[in-house]
Structure formats: structure tokens, C-alpha cells
Amino acid sequence: MASEPENDRPRRLALISSKGTLDWAYPPFILASAAASMDWEVAIFFTFYGLPLLKKELDAKVSPLGNPAMPMKMPFGSEGFQNINWPMPNILMANIPGFESAATGLMKKMFKNKGVATVEELREACVDMDVRLIGCQMTMDVFGFKKEDFIDAAEIGGAATFLAYAADADVSLFV
Amino acid sequence: MQIGDILEMVATDPGAMPDMEAWAKQTRHELLEARDEGGKYRFFIKKTH
């Protein structure tokens, strides 16, 4: 059960987003927007493969590789058909050209059918609610990103920036 | 919205019931009523600050 804040200081959430696939883009943006809607202070630190989630044009895709237990569901057909979990062997996923974009399309359709906001919409909500979006300087240097590649609301910082913020956080999560 | 105003909200997600309770506790706005209408969940929230 949720506890009430003890004093007038707002609660604080510190998130690290380290994965840039469509499925893994959701948790940080959902948690961040939910916390901000509860008047929490929120910052997300985007590092390694999470960094492209700050790009002006998002192109996050589902990668079934590395998600060996990922079942696929079909966003059409009867309810019974939609409820079937289709196991996807990695060998199949790795070898079929276009599998990633097909899986991405299916997941986007499924989310839309269920009334879930897009990653773009969630990110916009975060910006509107003053969630701090911090791009990792080191990752930018390593992968060759420039600040201009990112949305205007993005700021740049390093590990020390995140740690200074997280030191006073009530909840810290690595995604 | 002004303080004292009441927001009526309808959700289709069953998770909205515990979520709205938690949200009201955190924000200290007053959840006047949470109604399960079978597939629809109706909330009345009073803005307290």
C-alpha cells in the first residue's frame, strides 16, 4: 500500500534507461510520467542503448533477440486467437529478414488496440511535466551523438550528475 | 481547475482502482468515490490544493 509523504519535500524518482528497444522504452517513460503526475520530482538518465530514446525522431524497434522467452501475440482475429502465445525460437527470428519490423509493427498495433499511449506520447507527457531527461555524455562521445540530435528538453550530464540527483531519491531504478 | 473543484474520470483499466487510490494518497487530493461499473471505473476527485 502506498505510504503518504512524510514531509513537504516532494518524493523523488531517479531512473536509468539503458535499453533502446520499443518494449524496453516503455518502463522508464511510464514510471516517470506516473510519478510526475503524483507531483514527484523525476529524472531519467539515458545511457548506452537507452540514449537514442532522446532522439528527435524515435525509431525504437522490438528486438526479439535477447528476449528468448518473448511470446508473440497477434493483434487481430478472435479473442481466443489473440490470446495464443506464439513462441519464437531465436534461430527463426535471427534468420528471417524483416522479422524485427514485423514484430515491431505487431507490438505497436497490440498496444494501440489496448489503448496504451505511444512511446512518443509518453515522452511528450514527461517533458510537459518537467521530468529531467539527461543524456549520458560518455555514451554520446562513444557512439557519436550530438546534443542537436536530441529533443530540446534533453540535458547532458555524466555519472556524477545522476548520482548527485539519485543521492536524495526515494526510489532509484535501473531499467 | 480551482481548489474544491471535482474531476470526474472514467477508466477502462481495472488497475485504475488501486492506482487512483495510490495517486490520491501521494498527491493528497481527495478521492471522493471510486465506482466499479463493470468494465468501466468512475472516479470523483476533489482538488484540495
Side-chain angles (χ1 to χ4, degrees), chain A residues 62-142:
Chain A
V62 182
S63 176
L65 296 174
N67 291 324
M70 186 179 93
M72 291 286 298
K73 294 214 179 196
M74 296 299 159
F76 43 75
S78 70
E79 199 180 330
F81 183 74
Q82 290 197 30
N83 283 337
I84 297 172
N85 284 330
W86 302 85
M88 291 288 144
N90 269 348
I91 184 77
L92 182 112
M93 298 187 291
N95 286 300
I96 297 181
F99 186 89
E100 258 193 20
S101 48
T104 302
L106 286 175
M107 184 170 281
K108 282 188 173 169
K109 182 95 170 62
M110 200 166 72
F111 279 27
K112 189 164 182 247
N113 286 354
K114 303 284 181 187
V116 177
T118 62
V119 172
E120 286 86 345
E121 288 167 338
L122 287 169
R123 186 175 72 171
E124 212 175 297
C126 287
V127 171
D128 289 345
M129 290 187 288
D130 295 324
V131 169
R132 287 179 65 188
L133 306 172
I134 307 168
C136 172
Q137 178 70 64
M138 190 204 78
T139 310
M140 287 173 66
D141 297 345
V142 171

Side-chain angles (χ1 to χ4, degrees), chain A:
Chain A
M1 209 54 245
S3 62
E4 285 178 61
E6 274 160 26
N7 50 36
D8 284 339
R9 182 176 77 83
R11 286 188 182 259
R12 179 179 280 194
L13 172 66
L15 295 172
I16 294 181
S17 166
S18 71
K19 299 179 187 70
T21 54
L22 179 67
D23 43 351
W24 283 101
Y26 269 96
F29 285 124
I30 286 190
L31 288 169
S33 54
S37 85
M38 298 195 295
D39 300 328
W40 289 28
E41 289 178 3
V42 187
I44 314 175
F45 186 71
F46 295 86
T47 188
F48 279 80
Y49 310 118
L51 191 60
L53 295 177
L54 285 179
K55 277 166 58 178
K56 289 194 174 99
E57 295 291 325
L58 280 175
D59 52 6
K61 291 191 168 52
V62 182
S63 176
L65 296 174
N67 291 324
M70 186 179 93
M72 291 286 298
K73 294 214 179 196
M74 296 299 159
F76 43 75
S78 70
E79 199 180 330
F81 183 74
Q82 290 197 30
N83 283 337
I84 297 172
N85 284 330
W86 302 85
M88 291 288 144
N90 269 348
I91 184 77
L92 182 112
M93 298 187 291
N95 286 300
I96 297 181
F99 186 89
E100 258 193 20
S101 48
T104 302
L106 286 175
M107 184 170 281
K108 282 188 173 169
K109 182 95 170 62
M110 200 166 72
F111 279 27
K112 189 164 182 247
N113 286 354
K114 303 284 181 187
V116 177
T118 62
V119 172
E120 286 86 345
E121 288 167 338
L122 287 169
R123 186 175 72 171
E124 212 175 297
C126 287
V127 171
D128 289 345
M129 290 187 288
D130 295 324
V131 169
R132 287 179 65 188
L133 306 172
I134 307 168
C136 172
Q137 178 70 64
M138 190 204 78
T139 310
M140 287 173 66
D141 297 345
V142 171
F143 291 121
F145 285 106
K146 294 187 296 294
K147 190 168 190 310
E148 304 85 77
D149 298 332
F150 300 146
I151 52 173
D152 294 339
E155 39 179 311
I156 307 303
T161 306
F162 174 78
L163 288 172
Y165 184 87
D168 291 321
D170 299 284
V171 178
S172 299
L173 293 170
F174 182 91
V175 179

Side-chain angles (χ1 to χ4, degrees), chain A residues 2-3 5 11 37-38 40, chain B residues 21-23 25-28 49:
Chain A
S3 62
R11 286 188 182 259
S37 85
M38 298 195 295
W40 289 28
Chain B
E21 241 178 70
W23 181 87
K25 245 188 191 163
Q26 288 287 308
T27 58
R28 301 175 192 182
H49 56 87

